[in-house]
Amino acid sequence: MKYTHGGDIYTTEYRLDFSANICPFGANEAVRQAAIRGMEMVTAYPDSQCRRLRQKLAETLKIPVEWIIAGNGAADVLFSLVLAEKPEKGMILAPAFQEYEQSLCSAGSQVIVWERNPEQGFRLDEEFLVCLEKELKEGLGIVFFCMPDNPSGVLISKDILLQSLELCEKYYARMVVDESFWEFAFDQEAETMLPYIGQFQSLFLLRSFTKMYGIPGLRLGYGLCSDTDLLERMEEVRQPWGVSIPAQEAGIAALDETDWCRQVRSYVTEQRMWLVGELESMGCKVYPSSANYLLFYLDQELMEPLKRKGILIRNCSNYRGLTKGYYRIAVKTEEENRQLIDAIRDVIDNTDLR
């Protein structure tokens, strides 16, 4: 299968990678050291139930341990969820993370697409709710949301999310909210749907350790849901020992790094604001983001000119609902961000637009 994501550093030479949205400071040191210690135990099989990690998550999130399932990255949890549900139909909100659609196709589900308008800031409104209820009445089994959204970084109205959740509960459908970038949101408590999982069994939250702690190579994510029957079905359809010992140890250590999270979030917010101003000064249409990345539009080719300068960015033209000219960049360190902006400005200034 052709690789269509950011972070493909294995097929091209580069010096700066803005295509993958990872913590700008790299791996958290305490987390990295925990993973190294975990290597000392690799002669044993991992705990297939991830008991220590799930218990630590339960204590941190203040929820029952039975509501938690861990996986080999959030994508692994996602595919296990869809395989366990095997919905006749699933809905994605385009543009969207491609694994939502891929997981549905892998389960033989029909994919319903609600295309959001970039000119309206990718907002969801009453028209969407009407469509959602219509599809639910006709057998829609699962719908995917993302908060903050990927690739736009925008936040979905909490009111729209709650009304959608009530509809899914009414029609016995699953509502998945991907919170993989939740830790970068300025007001975390206001943006998460965690307080509602005990009240609504239809709600499934998807989260990742990858982004905030800088460990995409370890692969660690988890799901939260009060429907324990669903979690048991997920365990039945997945491979055993899906989460390695180093990854489990890293996750346990990460949950103690609260100061790290605050510092990263503050730094990313500051740098993101600076990047928005610089991009807009060059004529780019930039979408407001609450994550560690920015989506922007420029009617000009940037991918190849930047690649020749050793800089990778994410071409978003292969997202449903987006066209040529849409790009996504990660928020990195101040020095790296300045190098990117200088490179984009050089490309723009030296391109014959006649």
Side-chain angles (χ1 to χ4, degrees):
M1 184 181 68
K2 183 179 179 181
Y3 192 91
T4 58
H5 301 285
D8 183 15
I9 61 173
Y10 304 103
T11 59
T12 185
E13 294 184 5
Y14 75 101
R15 60 185 179 87
L16 293 173
D17 180 14
F18 281 83
S19 68
N21 311 312
I22 309 302
C23 171
F25 305 134
N28 173 281
E29 183 59 21
V31 173
R32 193 178 71 86
Q33 290 297 328
I36 292 172
R37 291 193 297 274
M39 287 297 297
E40 298 174 0
M41 298 180 280
V42 295
T43 54
Y45 282 99
D47 175 6
S48 63
Q49 300 300 308
C50 300
R51 278 170 277 239
R52 289 178 55 237
L53 173 59
R54 289 170 56 238
Q55 184 60 46
K56 184 74 171 183
L57 277 165
E59 294 168 0
T60 302
L61 302 176
K62 297 179 174 55
I63 61 174
V65 69
E66 294 80 16
W67 293 3
I68 304 170
I69 187 168
N72 189 282
D76 175 49
V77 179
L78 168 64
F79 275 76
S80 298
L81 166 63
V82 174
L83 188 57
E85 293 279 49
K86 285 194 175 178
E88 179 182 337
K89 296 191 293 185
M91 176 182 280
I92 64 171
L93 313 178
F97 182 52
Q98 293 175 342
E99 265 74 356
Y100 305 153
E101 183 171 355
Q102 187 181 348
S103 65
L104 289 170
C105 292
S106 72
S109 306
Q110 179 185 351
V111 179
I112 308 298
V113 181
W114 176 266
E115 289 204 6
R116 295 173 292 169
N117 190 343
E119 297 304 314
Q120 296 176 351
F122 304 102
R123 290 193 306 273
L124 296 176
D125 53 20
E126 292 297 323
E127 183 182 358
F128 164 75
L129 293 173
V130 171
C131 173
L132 176 61
E133 183 163 25
K134 174 179 177 295
E135 293 293 346
L136 288 167
K137 288 179 179 178
E138 296 176 358
L140 180 68
I142 192 168
V143 57
F144 294 95
F145 298 82
C146 190
M147 276 281 281
D149 186 51
N150 182 9
S152 71
V154 303
L155 295 173
I156 301 173
S157 160
K158 181 62 76 69
D159 182 57
I160 291 291
L161 284 173
L162 289 175
Q163 290 186 67
S164 299
L165 181 54
E166 289 170 354
L167 287 172
C168 288
E169 191 85 357
K170 177 181 178 180
Y171 292 100
Y172 303 100
R174 188 70 56 193
M175 176 167 160
V176 180
V177 181
D178 184 349
E179 295 188 344
S180 292
F181 294 96
W182 160 77
E183 289 158 307
F184 293 96
F186 180 74
D187 191 348
Q188 292 181 301
E189 299 307 317
E191 304 308 337
T192 181
M193 293 293 284
L194 180 63
Y196 303 98
I197 62 169
Q199 183 180 350
F200 296 91
Q201 282 204 330
S202 59
L203 178 62
F204 189 99
L205 300 186
L206 188 65
R207 289 187 174 182
S208 171
F209 283 93
T210 293
K211 321 301 180 183
M212 175 59 75
Y213 303 100
I215 53 172
L218 274 178
R219 312 306 305 138
L220 183 61
Y222 60 99
L224 307 173
C225 185
S226 60
D227 185 349
T228 54
D229 288 340
L230 168 65
L231 300 188
E232 289 177 7
R233 295 200 307 276
M234 289 174 64
E235 292 288 0
E236 291 171 359
V237 301
R238 68 197 311 202
Q239 63 168 331
W241 311 301
V243 184
S244 70
I245 292 176
Q248 291 187 40
E249 293 299 316
I252 293 167
L255 293 170
D256 288 327
E257 293 299 302
T258 53
D259 286 343
W260 168 272
C261 292
R262 283 193 293 268
Q263 292 168 12
V264 171
R265 184 164 53 250
S266 176
Y267 187 87
V268 165
T269 299
E270 177 185 309
Q271 288 299 308
R272 187 176 62 223
M273 292 174 60
W274 181 82
L275 282 167
V276 169
E278 294 297 311
L279 289 169
E280 289 181 339
S281 74
M282 292 184 282
C284 300
K285 165 63 177 175
V286 187
Y287 293 89
S289 173
S290 293
N292 60 331
Y293 50 86
L294 287 168
L295 178 72
F296 67 95
Y297 177 82
L298 182 67
D299 186 17
Q300 188 169 338
E301 171 58 35
L302 290 179
M303 285 289 296
E304 291 305 316
L306 288 177
K307 187 180 290 187
R308 289 193 291 271
K309 294 175 179 290
I311 299 176
L312 305 181
I313 64 173
R314 177 67 158 90
N315 179 0
C316 292
S317 62
N318 63 343
Y319 277 89
R320 280 184 181 267
L322 297 182
T323 60
K324 183 178 180 181
Y326 281 95
Y327 304 99
R328 191 192 66 199
I329 57 169
V331 178
K332 297 178 75 68
T333 65
E334 179 179 359
E335 174 59 28
E336 290 169 321
N337 294 335
R338 288 187 181 279
Q339 290 184 54
L340 172 67
I341 291 301
D342 288 344
I344 293 177
R345 183 172 287 112
D346 184 64
V347 170
I348 293 174
D349 291 345
N350 291 282
T351 299
D352 187 353
L353 299 178
R354 293 175 296 176

